[in-house]
Structure formats: C-alpha cells, structure tokens
Amino acid sequence: MKNRLEELRKQKGINQEELAAALEVSRQTIGSLENGRYNPSIILAFKIAQYFETDIESVFIYEEEKND
C-alpha cells in the first residue's frame, strides 16, 4: 500500500525516531511503513492519521491489484 508518511513527516519537520516515539512504535516500523514493506494495523493507521490531524485516506493510498 502506498502512503504519504515520509512526506507528511518531513512537512512537520520531525525525524523517524520522533514520529516513532509519538506513535509508540520502533523507528524500524516507521522506516518499513515509509518504504512500503509493511502495512499498518488499522489501529496504527488511525493513530498516524490523528497525529497528522488528517484522515486515513490522506495518508494511505489503497490500490486494488489488477488481475489480468
């Protein structure tokens, strides 16, 4: 799932460690989210959206896989 996490984090002027601390997750989790290697739980997705004062759809971009 694509996301705007890195973009939003940089706009806020914080690093991965600061965001991780605010969300009570590891810095590695933030890095994995930003690189698209990890999709968050629904609870973490809500926490992220609340932290950036936006909705989940503004942070995470869901694209259905196309079956040919």
Side-chain angles (χ1 to χ4, degrees), residues 28-51:
Q28 288 82 2
T29 296
I30 300 300
S32 292
L33 285 167
E34 288 183 356
N35 291 321
R37 291 188 304 249
Y38 171 74
N39 290 327
S41 68
I42 192 70
I43 294 170
L44 181 54
F46 270 109
K47 283 183 176 182
I48 291 167
Q50 286 179 330
Y51 180 81

Side-chain angles (χ1 to χ4, degrees), residues 2-5 8 48-49 54-61:
K2 295 182 181 180
N3 68 69
R4 297 180 50 233
L5 190 55
L8 293 168
I48 291 167
T54 191
D55 54 32
I56 290 175
E57 294 87 352
S58 295
V59 181
F60 297 96
I61 299 102

